[in-house]
Amino acid sequence: MIVESFRNKEFIEAILKKIQEKIKKIGFSPKIMEVCGTHTMTIHKFGLRKLLKDSGIEMLSGPGCPVCVTPNEIVEASIDLLSNHRNLILATFGDMTRVPTKKGSLLTSIPAEGSFKKIVYSPEECLNIAKENRDKEVVFLGAGFETTIPSIAFTIIRAFKEKIYNFSLLSALWLIPPPLQAIVKSEEININGFLYPGHVSTIIGKKPYEFIANEYKIPGTITGFEPVDILLGINDILDQILESNPLVTIQYKRAVRPEGNPKAMNMIYEVFEKKDANWRGLGLIPQSGLKLKEELSQFDAERKFNLKIKSQSKDLRGCRCGDVLKGKISPPECPSFGKTCSPESPRGPCMVSFEGACLAYYKYGY
Amino acid sequence: MCLGIPAKVIEIKEDNTGKVDYLGTKIKVNFSLIDDIKVGDYVILHAGFAISKLDEKEVEETLSLLKDFIENK
Ligand code: SF4
């Protein structure tokens, strides 16, 4: 019932009309970045990118796809583990298995004797797998933002309490505010507003974005995943531009509280600490990733298997995912788009992931 | 991938796990990340966990704002 209202055509038309009036007053075409990959999907699925473009707004996709921002060296490390280590179960979320690297993908790699890969829907499933397979090591390749991280933290706490020591985590965990800072600081592109991710914000609240409004004077709003949410969010950003009053507002009030979810936040920092991390396309960003705390290092796959993950691995030749993630190019500007790269034979994670911008453009047009 | 559509809580067990109805399908969910949850509430799901409780009052407020928009078109 809620969903239907937030997809209601009459509402959509009414907000669009307001948006068009405001654009006339603003007098230029603002560039707005949708940070979250699920926003990208909504915008394409409901044809909003074109509607907005015709109204004078350019939407740019941001770095909000965890599978996409995970650099190839981490995927390659998981492929090495699976193919070189006997009796090892490599568990991960579905789309992670299809990310292509110079070593192939998890899907195409041949596991060592007694080893196999397993697609899971929740990190907690890994614990049952580990309990049922005491003679094997279970490694969870966990890619995610603040939305997913609490569920992984919970899983680690349970493994510790229940002494499930044949379980470990290969961390591809990313924090959303640091890459946004990297993007605005680099000044490679001029962004006039941010649609902040709805579900990351249910966890972190609004405060972590406030530096963008205060220091960089860029408007923004936290918004949901229905077409009406997206348009109300844009309407809000235009108000902030018109009033020269950059803020972080919450349009998605039905799910997001200003303070976020303190219980989940506490759980995250009970288990993890921040580290400098290498992102696809964005490079090394200070304090933008997470690693397990020292006292939980027995669950750290990097340590357990003495993995040497060096940030050297490049994207496959001809793939410009890195530039797509920064909003520097839109997917069709990549020379491989739709030619040598498609969902059936992807050259980069942005064409693989359900949150990837290249897949959104390919699937729904633009 | 974020699931934008909320799920309805239909069962909560003592260990903080239970079931929700998501678009007509019953799914097992862990409620450990949120407090004060009861059967009949709507929640946002992610990776097998409920991460936020839906505030139905806010839904009403947004809808009345939208109705204003239409009337003042
Ligand atoms: S279209 Fe394919 S090759 Fe080009 S950036 Fe996207 S994923 Fe990479």
Side-chain angles (χ1 to χ4, degrees), chain A residues 2-3 5-7 10-11 14-15 17-18 38 41 121-124 147-148 150-151 154 199 202-203 225-226 228 232 235 252-255 257 261 263 267 354-355, chain B residues 1-6 16-17 27-28 30-35 42 44-49 51-56 58-59 62-63 65-67 69-70 72-73:
Chain A
I2 299 165
V3 177
S5 307
F6 285 90
R7 292 182 184 175
E10 235 188 320
F11 288 157
I15 316 168
K17 195 158 166 252
K18 288 230 179 272
T38 309
M41 279 295 163
Y121 154 74
S122 161
E124 228 190 335
T147 338
T148 319
S151 65
F154 178 91
H199 289 172
T202 65
I203 307 295
F225 300 99
E226 297 301 335
V228 163
L232 281 178
N235 183 56
Y252 193 34
K253 284 196 182 132
R254 62 187 187 278
R257 326 277 170 257
N261 180 339
K263 193 177 181 185
M267 217 177 272
F354 298 116
E355 298 169 296
Chain B
M1 183 76 185
C2 297
L3 302 172
I5 300 171
N16 250 335
T17 65
I27 307 181
K28 264 177 76 182
N30 191 321
F31 295 109
S32 303
L33 299 177
I34 49 175
D35 290 320
Y42 281 87
I44 303 284
L45 299 183
H46 194 87
F49 284 73
I51 57 165
S52 172
K53 189 168 119 178
L54 204 78
D55 185 336
E56 291 180 50
E58 290 294 350
V59 175
T62 308
L63 290 180
L65 173 94
L66 288 165
K67 283 181 191 132
F69 270 24
I70 291 195
N72 304 326
K73 217 158 61 166

Side-chain angles (χ1 to χ4, degrees), chain A residues 318-321 324 334 336-337 341 347-348 350-351 358:
Chain A
C319 175
R320 296 192 59 193
C321 262
V324 170
C334 166
S336 309
F337 180 85
C341 179
R347 289 195 69 76
C350 306
M351 191 58 97
C358 298

Side-chain angles (χ1 to χ4, degrees), chain A residues 31-67:
Chain A
K31 283 190 177 145
I32 298 178
M33 176 174 275
E34 87 269 2
V35 173
C36 171
T38 309
H39 283 159
T40 305
M41 279 295 163
T42 303
I43 289 168
H44 281 264
K45 194 170 159 192
F46 293 92
L48 298 182
R49 188 169 304 268
K50 179 152 192 322
L51 278 178
L52 288 165
K53 196 164 188 195
D54 295 344
S55 308
I57 297 172
E58 192 184 336
M59 299 302 295
L60 307 170
S61 307
C65 160
V67 171

